[in-house]
Amino acid sequence: MGWRVPLSDVSLSAEELRAATAVLASGWLSMGPVTEAFERAFADYLGVTYAFAVSSGTAALHLAHLAAGVGQGDEVVAPSLTFVATANAAVYCGATPVFADVAGTDDFNLSADTIAPALSRATRAITVVHYGGYPCDMAPILEIAEERGIPVIEDAAHAVGASYAGRRCGTIGDIGCFSFFANKNLPTGEGGMVVTDNEAYAGRIRTMRSHGMTTLTWDRHRGHARAYDVVDLGYNYRIGEVASALGLAGLADLDRANARREEIVERYRRRLREMPGLSSPFEGAPGRSACHLFPVLLPTELPREGVAAAMQEAGVQTSVHYRPVHLFSYYRRRFGGRAGLLPVTEDVGEREITLPLYPGMDDRTVEYVMDALAAAVGR
Ligand SMILES: *Cc1c(COP(=O)(O)O)cnc(C)c1O
């Protein structure tokens, strides 16, 4: 489908193309020196000790939950207003996700107040998502986690480059997870990163990423090791060198790209204020957003399907972030999810529509999208 304005768009720079081509010419395609350089640069950028590049954001989340010791019979408190992978990570470990509601229709993140009632003696971790790149109010969340002695995992898939109280998202809790999927702020096609300052967590993530093995192919190639042991039931969650090259080159341009996203969001917000009944969350929210998404909340009397169809008519792609996880068939069947459990999440899930947002959008395109929205909602 040739959208006039797609939801997101990747446009690789000459430097990114050069870096990817250099990997192809080098003949070393699996995890190796470029990945090591990417991990070092990413750790430096975030100000964190350990960073492990992996095959996807989902793999990052799975490893984070394993490292935190999440297992059979445990509960993990998580949002339902998220991509399903957030909750799946707990389920992969044999745990039960316990969904907490979002703070409000102007704040699509979990808060300490919404997390508290979901905690039990079985809670093994709290997993938060920085929705759309907007940082959760982490201080009170860390406080209740600390009281209980449980770790906080940050799903920072939307939030690469975002910050809160002088720290980068992903480094505020105990373990941070990033996604480099093609539509995220730092796209490498597929890929992800797990970060932590905790040495014990890092050790477990390092082994579990590659089959529970004690050495890597790259170590053996360099003659650093000949034999290996398998010390745990690990996975193949390794990233490839081409993806790492794109990530490393893209990281150098990330702040500029995120700043452009910020300008677009400001322009969007100005126009939205002229449309009574419509709103976007996180106005004046704490910290600095990575502006991954621009969500709009429609008034109840305006069915989303009609608005989305009118936008499509104008060539503008829209999406929904998110249909609540607890209402998906699998989660209903397996964990008893049903309507009414999370009133705010369900309300947002019905009324939210996401507009196009990517750094390559020019101002005229932003205005075009807003003209199309104004026409679609008749205001
Ligand atoms: C994209 C995303 C993920 C999963 O990342 P992948 O790289 O696609 O596996 C997890 N959580 C959230 C909130 C996401 O948006």
Side-chain angles (χ1 to χ4, degrees), residues 55-61 81-87 129-132 155-158 177-184 189-192 292-293 321-322:
S55 50
S56 69
T58 305
L61 283 161
L81 194 73
T82 182
F83 183 58
V84 67
T86 313
V129 174
H130 303 293
Y131 179 105
D155 179 341
H158 299 177
C177 303
F178 295 87
S179 166
F180 307 134
F181 183 63
N183 65 12
K184 300 282 163 58
E190 299 284 358
H292 173 57
L293 300 174
H321 292 88
Y322 288 93

Side-chain angles (χ1 to χ4, degrees), residues 232-354:
D232 212 330
L233 179 66
Y235 300 87
N236 174 4
Y237 282 165
R238 295 182 308 265
I239 195 171
E241 290 283 88
V242 174
S244 289
L246 291 176
L248 182 59
L251 187 60
D253 195 41
L254 179 65
D255 286 343
R256 186 208 56 80
N258 279 354
R260 176 59 193 154
R261 285 174 178 272
E262 221 166 22
E263 286 174 7
I264 294 166
V265 165
E266 268 162 36
R267 191 169 277 268
Y268 268 154
R269 286 192 190 279
R270 276 201 299 275
R271 288 290 304 272
L272 202 65
R273 281 184 212 114
E274 300 160 8
M275 300 183 208
L278 278 71
S279 65
S280 183
F282 301 110
E283 278 261 23
R288 183 159 185 195
S289 176
C291 296
H292 173 57
L293 300 174
F294 188 70
V296 170
L297 214 47
L298 298 170
T300 322
E301 72 274 11
L302 263 180
R304 177 170 59 201
E305 256 327 291
V307 176
M311 296 297 276
Q312 175 161 358
E313 204 61 30
V316 178
Q317 188 183 13
T318 63
S319 184
V320 173
H321 292 88
Y322 288 93
R323 296 193 160 79
V325 174
H326 73 285
L327 297 181
F328 285 131
S329 313
Y330 175 79
Y331 278 86
R332 285 177 186 267
R333 209 163 62 231
R334 174 107 189 256
F335 299 106
R338 57 183 165 74
L341 288 179
L342 304 168
V344 187
T345 294
E346 290 165 24
D347 180 33
V348 170
E350 275 172 21
R351 296 199 284 129
E352 191 272 346
I353 188 166
T354 304

